[in-house]
Amino acid sequence: MLEIIATNLTDVKDAERYGADRIELSPAMSELGITPSYGLIQAAVESVRIPINVIIRPHSQSFVYNADDLEVMKRDIKMVKKLGANGIVVGALTKEGAVDIEFISNLLEVADGLEVTIHRAFDFSRNQIEALESLKQVPEITTILTAGGNYNAPEAVEQINELIDMASRTHLSIMVGHGLRVDSFEKFFQSTKPDFVHFGSGARKNDSFDYGLDETKIKTIKEIIAST
């Protein structure tokens, strides 16, 4: 499956038209993504048939959240559910750098029925193996997005393969993203073969979020996935 980051409604429509299997709706990628507006979520869901997963991130200060953040994020999750999106993309860390299972579990109290992806907060945790072991405790979580650490994914093939192997014995799937580029993707994909692939700037003109999605790049990515 190929997931594409969409930052606005035009991206959403183009992603479906160019062949994406799923969308992560995540504006403000210069800040690693911020919760989109009510209007954008609603328009996106109404405009396409492919699944849309919505990032729930109230600010870009860090991945460590307090009680006020929890209240806002719960309200946003309820909104996402009401508007008919497929799922949510969440994550949280403790001050010590561990995955904050208690905080995430509190979020998921209002996410019943939504698909749940853990975003790249996972890559900023103090230890990814420890983090995956913790996330195994939460059955509502379906997917972990990772680049194998605070790297570009092609730099962390060994770590990614270890995570894929660990997750294969659980209810979790690994989705690889960050730093993927079309010209090196085939070699990377052959070396890892993750459950899901996640493209952001690498699926855009000039490899930049300043530009729109590139139809040729997305079709090439899909062809590589299909043929490998």
Side-chain angles (χ1 to χ4, degrees), residues 32-214:
L32 299 182
I34 295 293
T35 306
S37 69
Y38 181 105
L40 176 55
I41 299 169
Q42 184 177 42
V45 171
E46 291 174 352
S47 296
V48 297
R49 295 184 178 182
I50 60 175
I52 296 176
N53 289 353
V54 180
I55 193 166
I56 304 296
R57 189 166 179 244
H59 58 73
S60 60
Q61 292 174 350
S62 75
F63 294 114
V64 179
Y65 301 115
N66 61 27
D68 290 335
D69 297 325
L70 179 63
E71 175 64 22
V72 170
M73 294 167 83
K74 280 189 169 185
R75 288 172 183 252
D76 284 337
I77 292 170
K78 290 177 182 178
M79 178 182 69
V80 167
K81 190 171 181 180
K82 178 181 178 181
L83 293 175
N86 177 70
I88 54 173
V89 184
V90 298
L93 301 177
T94 67
K95 291 179 180 179
E96 295 74 30
V99 169
D100 194 334
I101 293 297
E102 181 179 0
F103 189 93
I104 292 170
S105 296
N106 283 333
L107 286 180
L108 300 188
E109 289 176 358
V110 296
D112 183 45
L114 293 173
E115 189 174 278
V116 180
T117 296
I118 297 298
H119 58 50
R120 288 193 62 239
F122 178 83
D123 284 344
F124 295 89
S125 66
R126 65 190 181 190
N127 184 299
Q128 289 189 312
I129 304 304
E130 172 192 66
L132 195 150
E133 289 291 339
S134 296
L135 293 169
K136 284 163 55 177
Q137 304 170 26
V138 188
E140 297 90 345
I141 297 170
T142 54
T143 309
I144 299 171
L145 171 62
T146 182
N150 189 15
Y151 315 101
N152 289 329
E155 300 169 5
V157 169
E158 184 175 341
Q159 176 75 351
I160 288 168
N161 281 333
E162 183 174 1
L163 293 169
I164 290 172
D165 181 63
M166 286 183 62
S168 69
R169 298 184 290 274
T170 74
H171 63 281
L172 298 166
S173 295
I174 296 296
M175 177 165 60
V176 176
H178 187 66
L180 298 178
R181 296 290 181 263
V182 172
D183 57 0
S184 58
F185 177 63
E186 184 170 10
K187 179 180 178 182
F188 171 79
F189 189 70
Q190 289 174 343
S191 301
T192 55
K193 295 187 179 178
D195 298 303
F196 303 99
V197 176
H198 171 94
F199 264 81
S201 60
R204 292 175 179 269
K205 298 168 186 174
N206 298 323
D207 291 331
S208 170
F209 281 107
D210 292 337
Y211 300 88
L213 293 170
D214 188 312

Side-chain angles (χ1 to χ4, degrees), residues 9-24:
L9 184 57
T10 301
D11 284 350
V12 169
K13 294 177 179 178
D14 287 347
E16 181 180 60
R17 191 154 52 92
Y18 298 162
D21 300 303
R22 189 172 68 195
I23 290 167
E24 179 187 319

